[in-house]
Amino acid sequence: MTQIFTCSTEQSAKFVELLKYNDKYAAIIGYPKDVCIIQIRAYVSNCSCASPTSYKCTSYPLTRLNFTDPWICVDAPEGSILIANKTYFMIRGSETIQQLQCSVIGGNPLANLFWKCYNGNQTYRNITDKAVSSVTWRAGHTKESVCTCFASHKMEWSDEKNVTVKVLYPPLKPLCEVGNFEIAPGTLNVSLSSNLTLSCYSEANPEPNYFRWSFPNGTTKPGSILSICDIQAEDE
């Protein structure tokens, strides 16, 4: 006996494919330029375009042994990978679980997704007409990186999207320099009547935007650079 297969899509598709259960191509049908195109490979005949969203084919005669073989109507995803943000911020040393999620809408079957991101734990689930993939990890002392979500589909469709991961951390211990030489904390010997310029910096993300110098007499001065001209004994 023969069987008539009807393949329908929610939206106009450039191409749909009929596959046997073992992924052997049966036919490719579609409207790439508003013209019905049919490529029959095997297993089916008499294919037609009922509409831009409905396609029909008649199978070759089926024996009782293969009568129950499943067939698949393959439809490519509707668009590209969806990700909420292109940049993700995490705090260095935080024990909070970090998470990124990507999804692809449409397709039959739904798209395959996976993450390349800090060797994190990955989960994959389907929500009606959407494939969703999540990756989780702990911030620890990881460095800034780029996480990538990859998607693929039987219709030779693929996509990838990057997320830049920024690591936030407070200022480290300040370092000071005279000229191009770093100086250690403690006493700095200088000559009377000479000029002195000290510069201070600290590593952090975001970068520190406020520095303050303290003097023995209790006064302070803002800025990362301190200049003292004509040094006298009272400047100690």
Side-chain angles (χ1 to χ4, degrees):
M1 66 174 294
T2 60
Q3 181 77 33
I4 296 177
F5 297 95
T6 299
C7 178
S8 298
T9 61
E10 293 183 359
Q11 299 181 357
S12 296
K14 288 186 177 181
F15 279 106
V16 294
E17 298 189 15
L18 284 172
L19 302 180
K20 288 195 70 175
Y21 73 103
N22 54 1
D23 289 352
K24 292 183 178 179
Y25 286 109
I28 302 176
I29 316 169
Y31 282 86
K33 295 182 179 179
D34 298 325
V35 177
C36 180
I37 301 296
I38 300 173
Q39 298 178 16
I40 298 176
R41 299 188 180 182
Y43 311 112
V44 294
S45 63
N46 299 325
C47 292
S48 63
C49 298
S51 73
T53 59
S54 183
Y55 311 91
K56 292 184 179 181
C57 284
T58 301
S59 72
Y60 279 6
L62 299 172
T63 64
R64 182 173 297 277
L65 180 63
N66 64 9
F67 178 73
T68 57
D69 283 353
W71 292 69
I72 304 173
C73 172
V74 180
D75 182 21
E78 296 175 7
S80 59
I81 293 174
L82 300 177
I83 297 180
N85 299 303
K86 294 183 179 180
T87 305
Y88 180 85
F89 296 92
M90 66 180 181
I91 300 175
R92 178 178 290 175
S94 171
E95 291 300 316
T96 303
I97 298 297
Q98 313 297 315
Q99 176 174 298
L100 287 173
Q101 180 175 287
C102 64
S103 62
V104 172
I105 297 175
N108 183 32
L110 295 175
N112 297 313
L113 301 171
F114 76 92
W115 281 94
K116 182 179 180 182
C117 184
Y118 292 109
N119 294 319
N121 296 320
Q122 303 194 38
T123 58
Y124 177 86
R125 57 196 173 102
N126 296 337
I127 303 176
T128 58
D129 66 340
K130 180 168 63 176
V132 180
S133 178
S134 300
V135 60
T136 58
W137 74 98
R138 291 188 182 276
H141 291 280
T142 53
K143 297 181 179 180
E144 293 188 356
S145 182
V146 175
C147 291
T148 306
C149 175
F150 297 90
S152 61
H153 191 266
K154 290 180 178 291
M155 289 279 290
E156 298 182 356
W157 173 94
S158 63
D159 192 21
E160 62 182 72
K161 286 287 179 66
N162 294 329
V163 177
T164 301
V165 179
K166 298 287 188 179
V167 180
L168 306 179
Y169 54 95
L172 302 180
K173 184 178 180 179
L175 298 175
C176 294
E177 292 181 344
V178 174
N180 295 323
F181 298 95
E182 183 177 316
I183 58 175
T187 301
L188 177 65
N189 296 318
V190 295
S191 302
L192 286 173
S193 302
S194 65
N195 300 325
L196 175 66
T197 297
L198 294 170
S199 60
C200 178
Y201 64 93
S202 176
E203 181 183 346
N205 190 20
E207 293 183 357
N209 57 10
Y210 182 77
F211 293 85
R212 184 179 65 180
W213 297 89
S214 297
F215 297 94
N217 61 7
T219 60
T220 61
K221 184 178 180 180
S224 61
I225 298 177
L226 174 65
S227 295
I228 304 176
C229 299
D230 191 21
I231 295 176
Q232 301 299 315
E234 56 269 22
D235 293 323
E236 293 185 1

